[in-house]
Amino acid sequence: MGVHGREPEQAAIADLLTQARSGLGGSLVLTAEAGAGKTSLLAEAAASARAAGDMTVVTTSGIESEAPLAFAAVERLLAPLSGSLDRIPAPQAQALRVVFGMEAGEAGDRFLIFLGVLSLLADAGEQQPVLVVVDDAQWLDDASAAALQFVARRIAMEPVALLWAARENAARPFDTSDLPTLRLAGLGLAGATAILAEQTGGEVSPEVAALLVANTGGNPLALCELPSVLTPGQVAGTEPLPPRLPVTERIERVFLDRARRLSADAQSLLLVASVDDSTRLATVLKAAERLGADTGSLGELETSGLVAVDGGRLRLRHPLVRSAMYEAAASGDRRRVHAALAGALDREEDADRRAWHLSSSVVEPDESVVAELVTAAERAGRRGGHEAASAAWERAAELAPDPDARARHLFAASMSAWASAHPDRARDLVEKAITEARDPLLLADARRVRGRIEWNTGSVKLANRMLLEAAVDVAEHDAARAREMAAEAVSIAPWGGASGSTIDGTTVVPPPPADAPARARTYDQLMRGCAHVAAGDYAAAAAPFRNAFAIHEELTEDFELLPNLSICAFHLGDYQRSQGYMQRVLTRARNDGAAVMMLYTLTRLAMIDLAGGRWTDAIGDCTEAVSLGEVTGHHVLADTPAAILMLLAAHRGETETFAELVPRLDVATSLGASGVLDVVLRDVVHWAHGVHLSLTDASRSASAFHRFAQMSHDVQKRVAGIDRIEAAVRADQTEAARLWTEDFAGFAAATGLPWPAAVAEHGLALLSASEEPEAADAHFIRALELHEEDANAGGSGWPGRQFNRARTRLAYGEFLRRSRRRVDARTHLRAALDTFEELKARPWAERAATELRASGETVRRRDDAAGEVVLTPQERQVAQLVKQGMSNKEVAAQLFVSPRTVDFHLRNVFTKTGVSSRGELIGLELA
């Protein structure tokens, strides 16, 4: 059947293909009700691309019964390209080989697999443009859908076109929220008339055509099928139409009526084909024989037009044939067909299909079927198909005979759901596991996961209470488990997680002896330090934290402890140590292709860089984190780095960027879905607004102070210390400024660090400037000495808190100028101006320049275009990795992009820096 009446859609598809042929990728999803002609448009596009001979065409489709099979659709899609696996990075190639069953082993992080799919398509695109056709996207298995959506978000620089079709209002809706989408409306009169004429080969009455369009909504499939239930005279208008016409909702009945005209054997064969998801003719015939059907009826079935046989493949004419037959069959008949197909699927590569058919063939607990499902779940997990693994574990739980077995399987299902970024499903499953569990250790593990889900996506206070209670209950059975759970509960308390529980986490189990494993001793010290932090006693927290840092050196590498150690160092204001721990986690995550862990660590590193005044690094980390959040679908996890970008935009006077981010972060802070990061997110947003108000509208000093006063967490309040104290002084909130300054002095005394002491001296200088100028002068001088001590303490490569130092120089220069010590003021104002210009902090640079001019010195505007190379965050990331000696493919793997995207950014780097080779770039200093 030809495609009629779809000129706008055909034009949009042609544009997509033209764009790919020009070297730029794109994606287009066609959505419509069943029978609207989506498949025909996809087939036409594929045929035209093949006929032109200038595109590689790969196709796949979702199959409803195949949904539990991890990466099934992707495996079909990439089968023609599998010979090129050796040309993509080895870790990605190995992951895909495991996924495709070409070799045994672990596939690794799921995003490593996703990146492998991107790399394989990008590699094919280097030969000639690629058209990827994905039909029935609503029935894709979850892993394939996630992988292809990842690719769709990453192909802008690749000659790859993704053309999808998805049914509207499907039971398993396809997420098109961030993909270009085109909805197919019903056909008009001209298109409908063309279809009716093509089907009947005779005359079509315009009045009849108009009536049929009205009754079918212009649905092409309905129009195509109507001639089979109408006479030629009725179509021509010489005979009256029947009183009731089969419209779109009843198209399935048309297929079913046609099936009912077949012999019993042909109907049995059709039901088997409808239940089968392998599309292999041999499998269908073998299963039909097991049911006692005569497979010679295949010819009759083909003649009916309900199926088509192409070589060794049997294809249903339309997906609605499958649903019509399956829904109409009695439940007992369905189970018998599933059992027959399970018996026919005896090849090793069909083990997952066999397990699912077996599970659909029984209704009572069956240990043999459970064993097959468990094996399928484990296999899916090794291949990175966590959604499929979760489904298999859950079904195994339904068929398991005893409560603890059900609990184990539900717990495993929850872990797989969590790994696949489905927290709501993970929560529901682990709560069921908690209800079923009788084994105290299994119960403790389930409650620990429940708390982890809660502190990441829900209430941190509830997580704290859950973990403390669970730790108490498991203490008599396993002290190590209890200690780690109590430590987790105590560690989240300082992040808005103090629940008011009467349980003291530090007393749940006794301290480990001196000869206990290093991991146990480290957890114990971290817990005790965090308990003191939660109480606001940083002097008491310092010793156990430093003990933990020392004990950890005994471990080879514990990547579960490293993030906790980093956060504890952050509590102490030891940002260099915090960065060192977190950088090790990031390196491991990059090497493993663990995108979610990369997102986690990049966000924390950005906070550390922000605290240290390394704005360029912070922007690079945040930009990558936001991008990863978008391509992996973890939008909530990307909110905090987006807030840091908004804060830095405020400091740099980038008002458009600031304004663009405000709506997103207003929504994010209203949802409260960031778990333990929620308090950080809110504080950074308040901080950003406070800075913006301070720098753009001097008359709104009270509003700026109000924003700063709403910051609630000690870490963020300290990092924002100078901003907060200066805002309080400008708003005449002297008492607040004094209290905040005293807090810094206390923190400095508790930790022995010079930088908080410098901020305290800065605050004392501001508070005494008007009434005790000599004291203010001394405080400013001492503050600068402490800033210098901080910078020197870090060793080479550590810039100290250069923004804080510049702010003190600016404040001191302003004080000196107002005191008529203009010559003395110039030295500090010039130094402040240089730092602000280096950081691209334009409003601060303008303020320093204004003061410098007022001191009597001429200020020349810095010409960035003439004297400084300005790279985008993406270009800088690429350049830094290339400087480490990485190839484009290696850089692409690190940044979760394609080599072509890396090449694009690298060429821009060469153009901007004036270098012409990778060797020259290695020797180039990047700001």
Side-chain angles (χ1 to χ4, degrees):
M1 182 182 75
V3 177
H4 302 285
R6 293 298 186 195
E7 289 78 13
E9 292 84 359
Q10 289 167 316
I13 294 170
D15 288 344
L16 179 70
L17 269 59
T18 299
Q19 178 177 307
R21 288 179 172 118
S22 71
L24 298 176
S27 182
L28 179 64
V29 185
L30 304 179
T31 65
E33 62 184 1
K38 304 180 295 296
T39 298
S40 296
L41 283 166
L42 264 58
E44 181 186 62
S48 68
R50 289 191 179 101
D54 61 348
M55 296 191 83
T56 298
V57 181
V58 290
T59 65
T60 194
S61 63
I63 298 175
E64 188 172 11
S65 55
E66 199 179 58
L69 305 179
F71 294 107
V74 160
E75 183 177 358
R76 286 196 303 276
L77 179 78
L78 298 182
L81 307 179
S82 59
S84 302
L85 283 170
D86 289 339
R87 293 208 295 266
I88 68 174
Q92 300 170 27
Q94 192 270 340
L96 289 182
R97 288 191 180 98
V98 172
V99 167
F100 298 162
M102 299 167 67
E103 61 181 62
E106 299 278 343
D109 188 271
R110 63 194 278 105
F111 289 103
L112 187 65
I113 301 166
F114 295 179
L115 190 56
V117 176
L118 172 64
S119 294
L120 202 54
L121 290 170
D123 177 78
E126 290 181 7
Q127 316 308 315
Q128 64 177 6
V130 178
L131 171 61
V132 178
V133 177
V134 183
D135 201 1
D136 283 323
Q138 75 281 354
W139 287 333
L140 288 170
D141 62 274
D142 290 329
S144 291
L148 292 172
Q149 286 168 326
F150 173 90
V151 169
R153 301 182 190 108
R154 275 295 199 240
I155 56 169
M157 302 304 300
E158 302 299 327
V160 178
L162 264 73
L163 182 60
W164 319 64
R167 185 187 298 185
E168 289 180 336
N169 305 316
R172 298 181 76 250
F174 179 65
D175 182 12
T176 62
S177 56
D178 58 351
L179 298 174
T181 302
L182 181 60
R183 184 183 183 279
L184 276 63
L187 292 179
L189 183 58
T193 302
I195 286 180
L196 291 168
E198 186 176 69
Q199 291 298 306
T200 62
E203 182 183 354
V204 179
S205 164
E207 291 79 9
V208 170
L211 184 60
L212 295 182
V213 168
N215 277 273
T216 63
N219 182 278
L221 181 62
L223 293 164
C224 184
E225 294 300 324
L226 278 173
S228 68
V229 295
L230 299 176
T231 67
Q234 288 173 326
V235 175
T238 59
E239 298 175 14
L241 291 170
R244 299 183 66 183
L245 292 173
V247 293
T248 304
E249 299 80 36
R250 297 169 61 199
I251 293 299
E252 287 186 356
R253 176 59 57 183
V254 172
F255 287 127
L256 190 60
D257 288 345
R258 188 181 302 178
R260 291 293 182 254
R261 302 189 198 116
L262 300 172
S263 66
D265 286 329
Q267 288 188 53
S268 293
L269 193 58
L270 180 58
L271 180 58
V272 172
S274 299
V275 176
D276 172 62
D277 53 24
S278 73
T279 73
R280 291 196 299 268
L281 176 60
T283 299
V284 172
L285 295 177
K286 191 173 181 179
E289 287 178 349
R290 295 175 72 92
L291 291 169
D294 180 4
T295 56
S297 60
L298 178 61
E300 177 189 355
L301 187 56
E302 287 185 85
T303 303
S304 73
L306 293 171
V307 304
V309 176
D310 181 12
R313 297 286 171 182
L314 186 150
R315 179 179 57 82
L316 297 173
R317 181 173 179 272
H318 194 278
L320 291 177
V321 176
R322 186 185 306 277
S323 56
M325 291 299 297
Y326 194 80
E327 294 300 324
S331 61
D333 291 338
R334 295 179 197 167
R335 289 195 295 274
R336 283 189 288 275
V337 171
H338 281 296
L341 281 165
L345 292 165
D346 52 8
R347 303 189 310 176
E348 184 178 350
E349 56 265 40
D350 289 326
D352 290 347
R353 286 187 165 87
R354 180 172 61 251
W356 278 104
H357 282 301
L358 281 173
S359 77
S360 297
S361 72
V362 297
V363 291
E364 296 294 330
D366 188 315
E367 291 188 1
S368 66
V369 177
V370 169
E372 294 257 8
L373 286 166
V374 166
T375 302
E378 292 171 344
R379 188 163 43 240
R382 288 194 298 272
R383 294 177 176 177
H386 300 300
E387 297 96 340
S390 180
W393 284 119
E394 184 180 20
R395 181 58 175 152
E398 292 170 356
L399 296 174
D402 66 87
D404 265 335
R406 289 195 292 273
R408 281 195 302 275
H409 300 331
L410 285 166
F411 176 69
S414 174
M415 293 293 287
S416 294
W418 181 247
S420 62
H422 291 88
D424 292 339
R425 173 173 166 77
R427 180 186 293 108
D428 292 343
L429 287 166
V430 80
E431 285 178 349
K432 292 177 182 177
I434 291 169
T435 301
E436 294 278 2
R438 303 293 181 268
D439 177 356
L441 300 185
L442 174 61
L443 179 60
D445 289 344
R447 293 171 75 181
R448 186 177 186 178
V449 168
R450 178 65 184 86
R452 183 171 297 169
I453 294 169
E454 195 64 37
W455 91 57
N456 277 282
T457 65
S459 167
V460 188
K461 287 183 171 62
L462 179 57
N464 172 264
R465 182 178 294 277
M466 285 177 169
L467 289 166
L468 288 172
E469 292 173 353
V472 169
D473 291 344
V474 79
E476 63 179 296
H477 303 285
D478 189 320
R481 269 184 173 86
R483 181 180 296 108
E484 292 186 10
M485 293 168 69
E488 288 173 350
V490 174
S491 70
I492 62 176
W495 302 94
S499 63
S501 171
T502 58
I503 299 170
D504 180 355
T506 63
T507 63
V508 169
V509 293
D515 60 350
R519 179 183 170 94
R521 289 181 286 127
T522 303
Y523 261 113
D524 179 71
Q525 292 299 298
L526 290 178
M527 173 171 59
R528 297 182 189 285
C530 286
H532 290 307
V533 168
D537 189 347
Y538 289 92
F545 279 161
R546 287 168 182 156
N547 288 340
F549 303 151
I551 295 168
H552 182 259
E553 296 304 316
E554 301 174 25
L555 296 170
T556 53
E557 196 75 299
D558 190 320
F559 284 93
E560 189 171 336
L561 275 170
L562 279 175
N564 295 311
L565 290 163
S566 175
I567 291 169
C568 291
F570 201 61
H571 277 306
L572 282 187
D574 188 349
Y575 300 139
Q576 267 188 290
R577 183 184 296 275
S578 181
Q579 181 188 40
Y581 286 136
M582 201 61 75
Q583 190 64 53
R584 285 150 70 183
V585 180
L586 178 61
T587 299
R588 170 70 174 268
R590 287 197 189 282
N591 291 338
D592 291 348
V596 176
M597 183 53 71
M598 285 173 59
L599 180 50
Y600 171 92
T601 53
L602 285 166
T603 299
R604 272 69 179 181
L605 282 168
M607 293 165 62
I608 297 167
D609 288 333
L610 177 67
R614 295 184 299 278
W615 287 6
T616 303
D617 289 339
I619 290 171
D621 291 340
C622 289
T623 301
E624 185 178 358
V626 171
S627 176
L628 274 176
E630 291 170 352
V631 301
T632 61
H634 291 280
H635 301 288
V636 171
L637 295 181
D639 286 334
T640 299
I644 295 173
L645 288 175
M646 186 171 85
L647 168 62
L648 290 172
H651 270 307
R652 287 183 157 184
E654 297 167 352
T655 54
E656 290 185 5
T657 300
F658 181 90
E660 288 172 2
L661 288 167
V662 166
R664 168 184 179 161
L665 292 163
D666 282 347
V667 171
T669 52
S670 69
L671 293 176
S674 301
V676 75
L677 277 179
D678 192 57
V679 65
V680 179
L681 174 65
R682 292 177 187 279
D683 277 357
V684 174
V685 170
H686 283 311
W687 183 4
H689 280 290
V691 169
H692 179 70
L693 288 166
S694 297
L695 293 175
T696 59
D697 191 345
S699 68
R700 300 190 65 186
S701 58
S703 297
F705 169 76
H706 178 67
R707 282 289 194 172
F708 285 119
Q710 290 184 76
M711 295 178 69
S712 61
H713 195 272
D714 284 351
V715 168
Q716 280 73 246
K717 288 193 292 185
R718 282 195 291 271
V719 178
I722 289 181
D723 281 328
R724 298 179 81 237
I725 292 170
E726 288 193 353
V729 170
R730 281 195 301 273
D732 292 326
Q733 298 288 337
T734 306
E735 187 59 28
R738 193 174 304 281
L739 287 172
W740 293 351
T741 298
E742 290 172 357
D743 178 72
F744 267 94
F747 184 71
T751 61
L753 295 172
W755 73 264
V759 176
E761 292 290 339
H762 184 121
L764 289 171
L766 295 179
L767 287 166
S768 57
S770 59
E771 296 182 3
E772 301 177 78
E774 290 185 3
D777 190 75
H779 287 307
F780 274 127
I781 292 172
R782 181 58 182 151
L784 290 173
E785 290 172 348
L786 288 163
H787 281 308
E788 195 65 27
E789 183 182 334
D790 174 52
N792 293 335
S796 62
W798 171 250
R801 286 149 193 82
Q802 55 183 338
F803 183 58
N804 279 7
R805 186 168 64 247
R807 292 285 295 278
T808 298
R809 285 191 177 279
L810 173 62
Y812 190 26
E814 291 172 333
F815 167 78
L816 291 171
R817 188 190 64 78
R818 288 193 299 271
S819 301
R820 301 183 185 279
R821 297 166 57 186
R822 295 182 178 182
V823 174
D824 294 338
R826 291 169 192 164
T827 300
H828 299 290
L829 293 172
R830 280 193 218 101
L833 177 60
D834 287 343
T835 299
F836 292 145
E837 288 184 330
E838 181 182 344
L839 291 171
K840 301 180 181 63
R842 184 173 54 80
W844 296 105
E846 290 175 354
R847 179 169 155 184
T850 299
E851 287 290 329
L852 199 51
R853 281 190 289 269
S855 74
E857 182 166 314
T858 301
V859 180
R860 293 184 178 180
R861 187 177 183 84
R862 182 169 176 172
D863 188 352
D864 287 340
E868 182 180 357
V869 174
V870 180
L871 301 179
T872 68
Q874 295 89 344
E875 290 164 356
R876 188 171 182 271
Q877 286 173 325
V878 168
Q880 286 177 325
L881 294 173
V882 169
K883 278 166 63 65
Q884 297 175 24
M886 293 187 186
S887 68
N888 282 13
K889 286 186 177 181
E890 290 170 332
V891 174
Q894 293 275 298
L895 299 180
F896 277 73
V897 296
S898 69
R900 186 182 174 97
T901 301
V902 171
D903 181 66
F904 171 80
H905 290 308
L906 188 57
R907 281 187 277 112
N908 285 344
V909 171
F910 285 171
T911 300
K912 290 181 177 181
T913 60
V915 303
S916 57
S917 71
R918 303 170 82 91
E920 289 182 48
L921 183 60
I922 290 173
L924 186 70
E925 287 295 326
L926 296 175

